[in-house]
Amino acid sequence: MVPKIRRGSRTHGLLVYLYGPGKRDEHIDPHLVGSWDGFAPDPGRDTSPDPDPKATLARLAAALDLRVKQAGDKAPAEHVWHCSVRTDPGDRTLTDAEWNTIARRLVHAVNLAPKGDPDGCRWVAVRHAEDHIHILATMVRGDLRRPRMNYDFKKAQAECRSIEKEMGLRRLKPGDGTGTKTPTSAERFKAERTGRPEAPRETLREAVRQALAGAVTEKEFFTRLREAGLRVKVRHAPSGDALGYNVALPGDRNRHGDPIWYPGSKLAPDLSLPKIRQRLADGITDQTTPPAADGRPDWSPPARARRSATDTAEHAAVLLDRDDDEAAAQLVGVGELLDAVAQTSPVATRAELAAAARTFERATRSHVRAERADTRAIRSAARGIIQAGSALGRGEDGGTTAMLVSTLVLVALAAARWHSARGHAQQAHASRQAAEHLRTAYRQAAATPMRALHDQGRALPESVRRKHEATIRAALPEQGAHADGAPAKTDALAATLAEAEQTGHDPEALLQQVIDMRELDTAADVNDVLVWRLRRLAHLSAHPGEATRRPPTGIRPTKTSTNLISERKTVTPAAVRPAVVDSCNRPPRR
């Protein structure tokens, strides 16, 4: 049940609309379901011998405005309180008596007409559709004082949550006041008329978020906004310091032909200039370019940036699992990382990644604040992805995109657990939705490389494949078979272990190391998660068609297991076994 509150100054005009045919939705049988005294005239169902709906409507407006006229100059300029209350499409149809109860509870909750108070404000509830009512009240009490209406929206929301529970309606998730302002009806209708897929407010919010991803300075942020094609207007103090900014979409104008400007704070609470400055200060780096990304020199910049970002995202998931308030800073960084990945990913995955970034944006805001916010690593990773440019949908670029997205799924689920532990229902729900979008994007990105890895695993010599399958069963007994008793598909994992062994790693120790890195319970496919962890840790190519090579200088093969990447133990070069490859059974190039 969703209440929407507005204020105005024209009682008669609003009644004309409520009892009229409607501008967008057809009004069917408009009539009163409740009023302040139960005896208000009803223009929709006038039972007098000679009914005149217009005259009855005028009498109703005069009755509602009686105290407003008596108060004179003491009455508020916007004396009309208008609240529409709508049920979910899946809810049952409520009766007029039930809507009357809902209206009375809401005007009591917001202190317009407290129960038992003879001086409460005058109000009516009009129903002209099955799924909603409109409550109209005039905000002058019987003693000609104004009602105390502080936090009326929050109080109405809280009362709706109680009504949902008691009446068996769909229960919405309670908010905490950190959500974004939704587009108004006028904004939505204008978007439909002009052929836009969404309201300008939503388009601008996403564009501003993307411009902020990985930015280091205000100047860079504003430059990105302009490069994205937005109109930008910076407000300056007399001293010349920037006080705030407004953005507008090209072509979005009002009736006078002027651009429609939106302040950053009206797009989202964390997009005001002071909040942006705080984020830049928390995550500022000592250099204008990110550090060199991990990987071999022959890999493309987008591939290397994605590998580096995967390590950083894995660390963010570990911090979220610690369940302390300092992890709140990581959520902001993860949001920037998702924005960066969505902007630079291949076309095949871009839509789902953009949906994940947009959904996760709700998870980045709550009342929890990290005292020692340090987002330098994750914001630097986002910056590296932006500066590396767009990734291709094939080869090493495509494989590392799948590698990163696989980790981001686990990060989103870790964020959902973190929010759930604090009772942040909306943020937890947004995190889980983002995880679903990321899973879809992962399936799109991983289809080609995982298929090649499965083929490579099936092409292994029988003895080699059996050896690695035995290693997998020993480390993960529960992965030996599916629930239906069929053998688990471990071809890709076996192929990865074989490659790791060829580069000098101990397969058993390396597998145990990636298993111990963090939990696997939330993984949709444990084998896929382990494949990407192994390939990242062993510095194997994400594109299985490339020939197996030695790890880059400074990276030594793994000998023993450990719980953290930063605590890897290595063996000396003398202990590295030479790679032996049977030329007759070498996996085919792809």
Side-chain angles (χ1 to χ4, degrees), residues 56-142:
T56 306
L57 190 146
R59 289 202 311 273
L60 177 60
L64 286 166
D65 278 339
L66 175 64
R67 293 169 177 172
V68 176
K69 292 183 178 179
Q70 290 174 343
D73 294 339
K74 295 182 180 180
E78 292 190 328
H79 62 271
V80 177
W81 187 85
H82 175 206
C83 176
S84 60
V85 191
R86 188 180 300 270
T87 55
D88 186 78
D91 286 333
R92 61 184 175 84
T93 301
L94 302 181
T95 64
D96 285 354
E98 288 175 316
W99 278 120
N100 179 32
T101 300
I102 291 171
R104 290 185 179 279
R105 289 183 59 168
L106 285 173
V107 294
H108 168 79
V110 301
N111 201 42
L112 270 169
K115 186 177 181 180
D117 183 358
D119 287 330
C121 297
R122 294 191 169 192
W123 62 272
V124 293
V126 180
R127 183 180 189 179
H128 53 211
E130 289 188 346
D131 63 346
H132 71 278
I133 61 169
H134 292 261
I135 304 172
L136 185 161
T138 48
M139 294 187 291
V140 177
R141 291 169 43 83

Side-chain angles (χ1 to χ4, degrees), residues 439-585:
R439 280 187 171 127
T440 303
Y442 169 75
R443 289 192 291 268
Q444 295 168 343
T448 299
M450 290 304 295
R451 188 184 308 116
L453 277 172
H454 281 297
D455 293 343
Q456 186 171 312
R458 285 191 291 269
L460 289 172
E462 186 68 19
S463 59
V464 175
R465 182 157 52 83
R466 286 183 179 178
K467 182 182 77 169
H468 293 305
E469 287 176 348
T471 300
I472 296 168
R473 286 194 300 270
L476 293 167
E478 68 277 9
Q479 291 302 115
H482 289 302
D484 58 4
K489 294 182 179 179
T490 58
D491 297 327
L493 190 52
T496 301
L497 288 175
E499 274 192 75
E501 185 175 36
Q502 290 172 8
T503 59
H505 290 278
D506 182 337
E508 295 180 10
L510 189 63
L511 179 59
Q512 192 59 52
Q513 181 174 341
V514 298
I515 290 172
D516 292 340
M517 281 170 60
R518 63 184 308 272
E519 58 84 23
L520 293 168
D521 295 339
T522 55
D525 192 318
V526 173
N527 288 325
D528 280 24
V529 172
L530 293 179
V531 163
W532 294 120
R533 287 184 186 174
L534 283 166
R535 303 193 79 81
R536 188 174 83 250
L537 201 60
H539 286 265
L540 302 176
S541 170
H543 181 234
E546 293 187 1
T548 301
R549 304 185 186 187
R550 291 276 184 176
T553 304
I555 303 297
R556 297 178 178 177
T558 305
K559 174 106 178 201
T560 58
S561 64
T562 182
N563 290 337
L564 295 175
I565 299 176
S566 60
E567 297 176 356
R568 278 182 237 161
K569 295 182 181 179
T570 58
V571 296
T572 60
V576 178
R577 289 176 286 179
V580 178
V581 182
D582 185 347
S583 60
C584 295
N585 294 294

Side-chain angles (χ1 to χ4, degrees), residues 313-324 327 330-331 410-419 421-422 517-520 522 533:
E314 189 87 46
H315 182 62
V318 171
L319 294 178
L320 287 167
D321 283 338
R322 290 180 183 173
D323 199 31
D324 57 34
Q330 297 301 312
L331 295 170
L410 299 181
V411 176
L413 294 174
R417 291 193 299 272
W418 188 88
H419 280 302
R422 286 158 180 76
M517 281 170 60
R518 63 184 308 272
E519 58 84 23
L520 293 168
T522 55
R533 287 184 186 174

